[in-house]
């Protein structure tokens, strides 16, 4: 776990325009001073991320929103009071402190307060906002440990803060709060059901939106192996057929088939708990990559609670060719 001296060092790196990998409750982020256009631009260079793809600004408290956003509508304020610190990102009108480099040229900004003691300590020591997309190459599996960051980005990161494994394991839920009726632009660590209970109204999850936000690329969160999605009852048959055809097949075996033998190169038994599945999802995909799989067969969970976020990540990992 990061020490006070580590946090102070990381804050110094941010002030000097450097990049710091920091833990959050969701995934590890690649952080830069949100008010330094050159440092923000370096994030895009290191990740290989398109400059039109917006970043999330992390702040230490909802009371610090002034300057980062133009205004906070009542629904957004209600959500912030209920879920911050936590895995919820709000899209609001951009304030004067946010350079266009951080928003992909948009006049909106995505902002959140992370729920991790190390991240909050860093934001306090730094005294400003930190832009922090996931600390990995663009489009690949997000990191949930400091070792994942070191293995993928290496010396491209100036300092890595180790805060242990991430508790949530999938990215934050992104809500468009710029209009009268909020909508979910990316399912994540705060469930649709909890958001609806707080607002007292149903929320749409549109397939496309007028606002660009992280995680909307057709292929995202993807391992090196190709991911194919099938119905749960077809996982074993599809995996064995692909294995017999010469693939090195990895299987994300759903709980309903936990006792079924499978002829495959590598098998990961999916937890029955959606919270445990979300926490482990990216680690499972990395494990199957490390075991040399070239094809991963998986099924989607029921799209309720955190199952909606997991299904979203698996679809993005599979890309446009999502089924065999």
């Amino acid at each position: 776990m990061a020490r006070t001296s580590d946090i102070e060092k990381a804050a110094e790196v941010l002030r000097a325009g450097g990049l710091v990998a920091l833990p959050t409750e969701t995934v590890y982020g690649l952080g830069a001073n949100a008010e330094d256009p050159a440092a923000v631009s370096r994030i895009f260079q290191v990740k290989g991320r398109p400059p039109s793809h917006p970043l999330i600004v992390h702040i230490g408290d909802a009371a610090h929103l002034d300057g980062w956003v133009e205004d906070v509508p009542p629904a957004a304020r209600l959500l912030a009071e209920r879920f911050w610190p936590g895995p919820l990102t709000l899209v609001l009108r951009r304030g004067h402190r946010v350079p266009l480099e951080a928003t992909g040229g948009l006049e909106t900004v995505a902002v959140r307060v992370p729920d991790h003691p190390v991240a909050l300590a860093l934001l306090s020591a730094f005294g400003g906002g930190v832009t922090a997309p996931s600390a990995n190459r663009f489009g690949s599996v997000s990191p949930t440990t400091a070792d994942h960051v070191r293995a993928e980005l290496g010396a491209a990161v100036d300092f890595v803060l180790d805060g242990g494994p991430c508790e949530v394991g999938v990215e934050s839920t992104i809500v468009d709060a710029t209009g009268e009726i909020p909508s979910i632009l990316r399912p994540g660590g705060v469930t649709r059901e909890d958001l609806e209970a707080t607002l007292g109204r149903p929320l749409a999850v549109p397939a496309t939106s007028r606002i660009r936000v992280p995680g909307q690329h057709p292929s995202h969160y993807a391992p090196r192996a190709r991911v194919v999605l099938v119905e749960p009852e077809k996982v074993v048959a599809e995996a064995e057929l692909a294995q017999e055809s010469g693939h090195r097949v990895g299987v994300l075996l759903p709980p309903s088939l936990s006792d079924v033998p499978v002829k495959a190169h590598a098998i990961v038994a999916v937890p029955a708990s959606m919270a445990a599945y979300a926490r482990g999802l990216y680690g499972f995909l990395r494990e199957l990559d490390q075991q040399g799989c070239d094809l991963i067969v998986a099924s989607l969970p029921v799209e309720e609670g955190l199952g909606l976020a997991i299904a979203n990540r698996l679809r993005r990992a599979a890309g446009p060719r999502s089924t065999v």
Side-chain angles (χ1 to χ4, degrees), residues 229-275:
L229 303 175
V230 298
E231 296 298 322
E233 64 272 14
K234 297 180 180 179
V235 166
V236 172
E238 293 289 356
E240 292 186 341
L241 178 62
Q243 185 76 16
E244 291 170 1
S245 300
H247 286 286
R248 295 166 66 88
V249 177
V251 183
L252 290 179
L253 194 65
S256 60
L257 302 176
S258 59
D259 295 329
V260 178
V262 187
K263 295 178 181 177
H265 180 70
I267 300 168
V268 171
V270 170
S273 160
M274 287 297 100

Side-chain angles (χ1 to χ4, degrees), residues 16 42 53 109 133 154 187 201 275 283 300 304 319:
R42 192 174 160 214
H53 210 61
V109 60
R201 67 184 309 156
L300 299 179
E304 298 173 353

Side-chain angles (χ1 to χ4, degrees), residues 86-162:
L88 174 69
T89 293
L90 297 175
V91 175
L92 298 164
R93 290 170 57 197
R94 181 178 71 94
H96 68 273
R97 298 181 70 177
V98 185
L100 288 171
E101 285 83 354
T103 68
L106 300 177
E107 288 299 331
T108 54
V109 60
V111 62
R112 84 176 185 103
V113 179
D115 188 15
H116 193 290
V118 174
L120 291 172
L122 174 61
L123 288 164
S124 177
F126 175 56
V130 173
T131 49
S134 55
N136 56 282
R137 304 293 179 188
F138 181 71
S140 67
V141 179
S142 301
T144 52
T145 69
D147 285 343
H148 292 164
V149 178
R150 295 185 184 104
E152 184 154 353
L153 297 182
V157 183
D158 299 308
F159 195 77
V160 177
L161 271 177
D162 191 342

